[in-house]
Amino acid sequence: MKVLIVEDDPLHRSYLLEAVCSALPECRDVLEAENGADGEKMAREHKSAHIVMDLQMNARNGIEAARTIWKERPDTRILFWSNYSDEAYVRGVSRIVPDGAAYGYVLKSASDERLKLALRSIFVEAQCVIDREVRGMQQKSLGQVRGFSDSEYEILVDIALGLTDRTIARRRGLSIRSVQNRLQQLYEKLGVYQMSVEDSDEGRFNLRARAVTVALLRKLLNYSALERAEAELNDWLRSH
């Protein structure tokens, strides 16, 4: 067995190396990459390697690296080890996992034993291991709790990118009315509403801008999610 550690923090890489060696005595070789770009390259060179991956890294983050790796080798087993349980990260991972893939999402705040159990469960037994806090966010993001449906989340991302209702409708294959209805649903779920100003016909807020601000404060959106969305938007614009 080979394990590839993809982590930009040297202390965290050292900790993961100890955890892997302790949890997986049958591991013959532990490889290390300092960022997502190097991780992709090493994953191609060592095709049988299982991967422990940080999410937030410079020079290509973990979600982008994992998407490339899974596209080339869908049976790769990946354990995401992250400080973040934000909905933006959880959605980012959920969108790219291939059907039937064994993967995990464990927070860096988890105990040593929890991390070691996850390593063995995923890499030896091919079981998925998701921390409870992350699992709760997954259920919320999938609409099993009062969260956002995928279509509502797409609209949120589109207004964060500055798209008009008409452009959103073209991009998503919707009517203008459907876009506006989903915007109203977003505003309701985000608790965004217009506050009137005395002696004025205008309200206090631009609701679209306010919705994006609230989403950022609630960690529904982050830089990585918007960076991916901007790249996808540019691809769409080039083809339309």
Side-chain angles (χ1 to χ4, degrees):
M1 178 191 298
K2 290 183 182 180
V3 173
L4 169 60
I5 296 170
V6 186
E7 165 64 66
D8 60 352
D9 186 300
L11 291 177
H12 285 170
R13 281 203 309 276
S14 177
Y15 171 76
L16 285 173
L17 176 61
E18 293 181 8
V20 168
C21 291
S22 175
L24 302 166
E26 61 269 64
C27 182
R28 296 181 291 104
D29 199 3
V30 182
L31 311 163
E32 298 182 29
E34 297 182 356
N35 54 58
D38 288 344
E40 289 179 18
K41 179 180 177 182
M42 294 185 72
R44 290 190 190 98
E45 295 172 353
H46 303 274
K47 296 186 183 300
S48 63
H50 303 315
I51 298 172
V52 186
M53 179 102 69
D54 189 15
L55 283 178
Q56 185 60 41
M57 295 180 288
N58 294 321
R60 202 150 176 86
N61 64 51
I63 291 176
E64 294 296 336
R67 176 160 52 186
T68 298
I69 291 167
W70 267 329
K71 185 176 180 179
E72 297 176 2
R73 189 161 57 96
D75 60 343
T76 304
R77 299 177 189 176
I78 300 179
L79 169 58
F80 296 100
W81 189 61
S82 175
N83 281 319
Y84 305 100
S85 60
D86 303 358
E87 184 164 351
Y89 285 105
V90 173
R91 279 185 179 272
V93 169
S94 298
R95 287 176 59 195
I96 65 172
V97 179
D99 291 340
Y103 81 103
Y105 195 134
V106 174
L107 297 175
K108 291 185 178 180
S109 58
S111 67
D112 295 351
E113 290 307 311
R114 173 65 173 169
L115 175 59
K116 292 175 184 177
L117 176 62
L119 287 166
R120 287 207 66 82
S121 297
I122 299 163
F123 296 162
V124 177
E125 301 171 11
Q127 296 179 354
C128 290
V129 177
I130 313 295
D131 272 1
R132 181 178 299 176
E133 184 177 347
V134 177
R135 179 71 73 184
M137 187 61 72
Q138 278 185 329
Q139 292 173 343
K140 181 178 178 181
S141 69
L142 292 171
Q144 296 170 355
V145 188
R146 186 173 172 76
F148 296 90
S149 66
D150 285 344
S151 58
E152 290 168 346
Y153 191 77
E154 286 176 349
I155 300 293
L156 174 61
V157 171
D158 284 346
I159 65 172
L161 294 173
L163 301 185
T164 64
D165 288 0
R166 188 172 299 279
T167 302
I168 294 172
R170 284 185 57 216
R171 186 183 187 197
R172 303 300 179 185
L174 300 170
S175 66
I176 298 291
R177 178 62 62 85
S178 293
V179 171
Q180 293 170 343
N181 287 341
R182 291 178 189 183
L183 275 172
Q184 291 303 316
Q185 292 166 356
L186 270 179
Y187 297 155
E188 180 182 344
K189 290 183 178 181
L190 288 170
V192 171
Y193 54 92
Q194 191 57 271
M195 297 176 64
S196 61
V197 181
E198 292 182 9
D199 303 323
S200 174
D201 293 332
E202 296 183 1
R204 291 183 184 272
F205 296 125
N206 175 307
L207 293 184
R208 296 166 84 95
R210 184 64 180 164
V212 172
T213 298
V214 172
L216 288 166
L217 290 172
R218 286 177 51 180
K219 300 181 179 180
L220 300 170
L221 297 171
N222 60 23
Y223 177 83
S224 295
L226 292 176
E227 186 178 43
R228 292 194 306 275
E230 179 72 11
E232 292 170 358
L233 173 62
N234 287 332
D235 289 341
W236 180 81
L237 291 173
R238 281 192 291 269
S239 62
H240 288 78

